Amino acid sequence: MKKTKKWMVMGITAALVVGLLAGCSSSEGTGSAGTDEKGAEQGPITLTWFDGNTKGEPFTDVVAQQITEKTGIEISIQQPTGNPTEKLSLMLASGDYPDVVVMSRGDASLDKYISSGAFIPLDELIEKYGADLKQMYGDTLTKTRYTDGKNYYLANWYGLDSDPVFGMLMRQSLLEELAPEKADGSEPLTTDEFEALLKQFKQKYSTIDGKESVPMTMNGENMGANLGTFKGMWGLKTYYDNNGRLQYDVKDPKYREMLLYMNRLYREGLIEKEFAISKTQTWIQKLTTGAVFSTPGAYWDPGNGNAALKKDGGEKNQLFAYKVVAPGVDPAQTTFGPRSSLGWDAIAITKNNKHPEETMKLFNYLASDEGQHLLLWGKEGEQYTMVDGKRQPDPAFLQSFKDNWDETVKTSGVRKWLWFIKNGLDPNGQPYDMAVKYQRSEVDELAIKSLGDSVWDTAEYDNLNPDGGTPEALTAQKVKDIMDQSITRAIIAPTEAEANAIFDKMLEDMKKAGDEKVEDIINQKYAQRMEVWGTK
């Protein structure tokens, strides 16, 4: 969810230190150095920090310097070599932990880090030193509690993001020709209307600029986005709630309807035949040719493809996200925007940390309104100024994100260190995420207009799969493999009867593999979560 995972890439005086160590909220005053037991000033505390999202940049930019100045803490980033997940497993096995770990909330080892005691409980530290943090996180702290009722990590990118995710991406200039009443995104299309539109395009444009026209292509390397878009049309969610029991989504009768619809589009030549072997780079290249009318996916996925289309034919030449609705589905109940209010990452203090109190004060500062603006807006007077009580980014700085995102992040430090990030608006009604949301593109704006009401919170269904290393986890992987292989085969089946047969065989194979045992675990974890949340 979320712009791609790149989103995840980014003292004053000794007298003020006394206030910090006395437990003042960090936004009220912090210091540049620690003190020993006799009150003598020491150098800044250095915390080792593992974050699999970082790119190995040193903690020395302007934003980093401001953090150290405000908190008296320097951070030593431990850039993971190789696969971050493998590094996390090695650290867990050896017990050689850094002071702070930032890891995916979906990582299979998260529960192991907690249950083994590698992460310390944060509740008392939050109570003593986390006044700003408590105010910002609110009931998110309740929802991220472990089964023992304690908090072992703080969520990152928490709070429900109001932006949608998936949509049927269509070239607006072509849509204005074929269905002008739908081009502004005010009214959704039905699946029948969309199918007719693809046929109309194919009939009118056998070729475009000498290239064979493509009514719809798909990125075969990102089936999650393809299926996520079509699931959105049918209002499907993470699981099928069958009279209070959570089951695999494919068991929802609407899932079969969805898959047969995709199969029909494929058999009618409306979906490109080679989509299943298409890689992301190839997919982008096809979009840039101008011969493609539509593709499913997140509205930001075309990226450079849209940039090329805009350069060649203007703003309306781009792929914009539109809502398509299946029969019998309320347009407001579509699910194109799966977002978790509990975010992507977990930020935790390990038992090896010798400065848990100072670390929590750092957490409190970074999570505070002031800290969030430092991380995401930069330094006042350099990256932004205050005008009539509101922040106004320097126009050249804002444009630099559009011209060269990576270089701007690297050199400025803004949106580089993405910790304790809160989605939504600040108390002034401005977005915390300045670079992405202060000035929206035309593609963003239409996606929000067309699909904004389809955002839904996945939090209650997040990470319910069996724990890694258990027999049920192996079963879950087998079931997933069966689904992945069968779904693509059903889409490209030569007849509807064969598509149905493949689907039936998939359900049969899933049952033989033990899918119900996995569902038992899912339901047990779900019940525990609802109890911890106090909702049941």
Side-chain angles (χ1 to χ4, degrees):
M1 321 185 335
K2 355 173 112 177
K3 307 282 179 187
T4 79
K5 196 79 173 171
K6 78 178 179 184
W7 288 7
M8 308 299 297
V9 250
M10 294 226 327
I12 305 178
T13 66
L16 288 177
V17 174
V18 176
L20 173 65
L21 298 180
C24 295
S25 77
S26 57
S27 60
E28 296 173 349
T30 55
S32 64
T35 57
D36 61 20
E37 293 179 357
K38 298 180 180 180
E41 187 174 310
Q42 299 174 322
I45 294 169
T46 298
L47 297 178
T48 53
W49 197 290
F50 175 91
D51 183 352
N53 303 316
T54 59
K55 294 184 177 181
E57 296 293 333
F59 196 72
T60 55
D61 55 71
V62 174
V63 171
Q65 291 173 22
Q66 283 286 293
I67 292 171
T68 299
E69 182 179 324
K70 290 283 187 178
T71 65
I73 291 178
E74 292 181 347
I75 295 174
S76 174
I77 300 293
Q78 294 191 346
Q79 171 66 8
T81 55
N83 188 318
T85 299
E86 293 177 0
K87 177 65 174 176
L88 286 165
S89 297
L90 289 173
M91 290 194 305
L92 184 63
S94 67
D96 184 18
Y97 318 117
D99 297 312
V100 174
V101 168
V102 183
M103 65 190 299
S104 169
R105 290 184 57 253
D107 195 294
S109 63
L110 177 58
D111 279 353
K112 293 180 181 178
Y113 266 84
I114 295 173
S115 60
S116 69
F119 291 164
I120 66 171
L122 304 178
D123 304 77
E124 290 185 10
L125 291 168
I126 292 172
E127 197 62 37
K128 289 181 180 179
Y129 310 111
D132 295 319
L133 191 154
K134 285 172 63 178
Q135 181 178 0
M136 292 286 278
Y137 274 78
D139 68 351
T140 299
L141 291 175
T142 299
K143 293 185 175 182
T144 54
R145 290 182 301 183
Y146 192 55
T147 53
D148 63 3
K150 296 179 181 179
N151 284 106
Y152 290 88
Y153 67 85
L154 293 164
N156 202 19
W157 292 104
Y158 69 98
L160 190 63
D161 191 327
S162 60
D163 285 4
V165 180
F166 304 120
M168 186 54 69
L169 313 182
M170 293 182 258
R171 295 262 303 287
Q172 191 176 66
S173 56
L174 293 171
L175 188 58
E176 284 185 336
E177 290 182 30
L178 304 172
E181 72 283 1
K182 303 291 187 180
D184 71 351
S186 298
E187 295 292 331
L189 293 88
T190 66
T191 47
D192 287 343
E193 289 173 333
F194 179 63
E195 183 177 356
L197 190 61
L198 295 177
K199 291 177 179 178
Q200 188 180 352
F201 168 79
K202 185 179 180 182
Q203 183 177 10
K204 185 173 182 178
Y205 294 99
S206 58
T207 62
I208 293 180
D209 294 333
K211 307 175 190 71
E212 183 180 358
S213 65
V214 180
M216 185 197 303
T217 188
M218 296 197 289
N219 181 357
E221 204 169 27
N222 192 1
M223 283 302 292
N226 299 328
L227 294 173
T229 302
F230 282 92
K231 284 178 65 173
M233 300 179 190
W234 267 263
L236 295 165
K237 294 189 174 183
T238 311
Y239 296 105
Y240 170 41
D241 188 337
N242 188 2
N243 294 318
R245 177 176 170 82
L246 299 183
Q247 295 181 311
Y248 281 99
D249 58 356
V250 296
K251 295 185 179 182
D252 189 321
K254 291 189 293 184
Y255 200 104
R256 185 191 292 263
E257 292 177 23
M258 177 201 83
L259 216 55
L260 293 178
Y261 177 74
M262 295 178 73
N263 171 252
R264 185 165 76 244
L265 297 183
Y266 183 82
R267 288 186 288 107
E268 291 174 345
L270 303 177
I271 296 178
E272 188 177 28
K273 294 297 183 184
E274 303 82 26
F275 84 87
I277 58 173
S278 177
K279 302 297 183 182
T280 300
Q281 186 176 357
T282 307
W283 175 72
I284 290 289
Q285 289 173 345
K286 287 178 182 176
L287 301 183
T288 62
T289 66
V292 174
F293 172 62
S294 69
T295 186
Y299 67 87
W300 56 81
D301 279 347
N304 292 334
N306 259 350
L309 290 169
K310 184 177 182 179
K311 183 178 180 180
D312 290 342
E315 184 178 297
K316 292 184 178 181
N317 199 42
Q318 299 174 99
L319 291 145
F320 288 78
Y322 292 91
K323 179 184 289 189
V324 180
V325 184
V329 177
D330 182 341
Q333 297 302 311
T334 52
T335 52
F336 291 97
R339 295 280 194 177
S340 177
S341 60
L342 302 185
W344 299 345
D345 298 321
I347 307 175
I349 299 174
T350 74
K351 66 180 182 181
N352 291 353
N353 189 312
K354 305 300 183 185
H355 306 281
E357 294 84 2
E358 289 80 1
T359 304
M360 180 53 67
K361 291 169 187 174
L362 170 70
F363 284 12
N364 186 61
Y365 173 72
L366 295 176
S368 72
D369 182 71
E370 179 184 326
Q372 292 291 284
H373 282 107
L374 175 58
L375 293 170
L376 296 170
W377 283 71
K379 186 177 180 180
E380 183 179 355
E382 293 189 18
Q383 281 87 26
Y384 72 91
T385 55
M386 297 297 294
V387 179
D388 296 328
K390 291 199 172 185
R391 290 170 177 82
Q392 182 172 303
D394 174 70
F397 180 60
L398 189 59
Q399 182 62 36
S400 70
F401 278 100
K402 297 180 175 65
D403 296 338
N404 193 328
W405 177 286
D406 290 341
E407 183 64 20
T408 300
V409 170
K410 178 180 177 180
T411 56
S412 71
V414 174
R415 220 177 183 280
K416 184 178 183 180
W417 314 111
L418 297 176
W419 302 316
F420 313 98
I421 300 301
K422 182 176 184 177
N423 286 309
L425 305 178
D426 68 14
N428 284 331
Q430 295 182 283
Y432 279 114
D433 193 356
M434 179 273 294
V436 173
K437 299 192 175 185
Y438 181 81
Q439 191 177 78
R440 307 306 294 259
S441 72
E442 59 275 5
V443 171
D444 291 13
E445 289 176 350
L446 194 136
I448 294 166
K449 175 183 179 180
S450 177
L451 297 152
D453 64 349
S454 70
V455 174
W456 64 284
D457 192 354
T458 68
E460 63 180 295
Y461 301 131
D462 291 351
N463 307 328
L464 294 177
N465 279 318
D467 296 336
T470 63
E472 291 82 6
L474 295 175
T475 301
Q477 185 60 51
K478 290 179 184 177
V479 172
K480 181 180 182 302
D481 292 342
I482 291 168
M483 290 193 295
D484 290 346
Q485 295 162 12
S486 302
I487 286 169
T488 301
R489 288 178 54 229
I491 294 171
I492 64 176
T495 66
E496 180 176 308
E498 188 165 339
N500 263 313
I502 291 169
F503 195 83
D504 289 337
K505 182 68 162 50
M506 175 188 72
L507 295 176
E508 180 183 336
D509 290 345
M510 288 170 60
K511 187 171 184 178
K512 288 180 180 177
D515 67 338
E516 292 180 354
K517 294 179 181 178
V518 178
E519 290 172 346
D520 287 343
I521 299 293
I522 290 169
N523 281 274
Q524 289 169 15
K525 287 194 168 188
Y526 182 76
Q528 290 175 344
R529 177 171 296 169
M530 293 301 100
E531 185 175 352
V532 169
W533 288 10
T535 57
K536 287 188 179 181

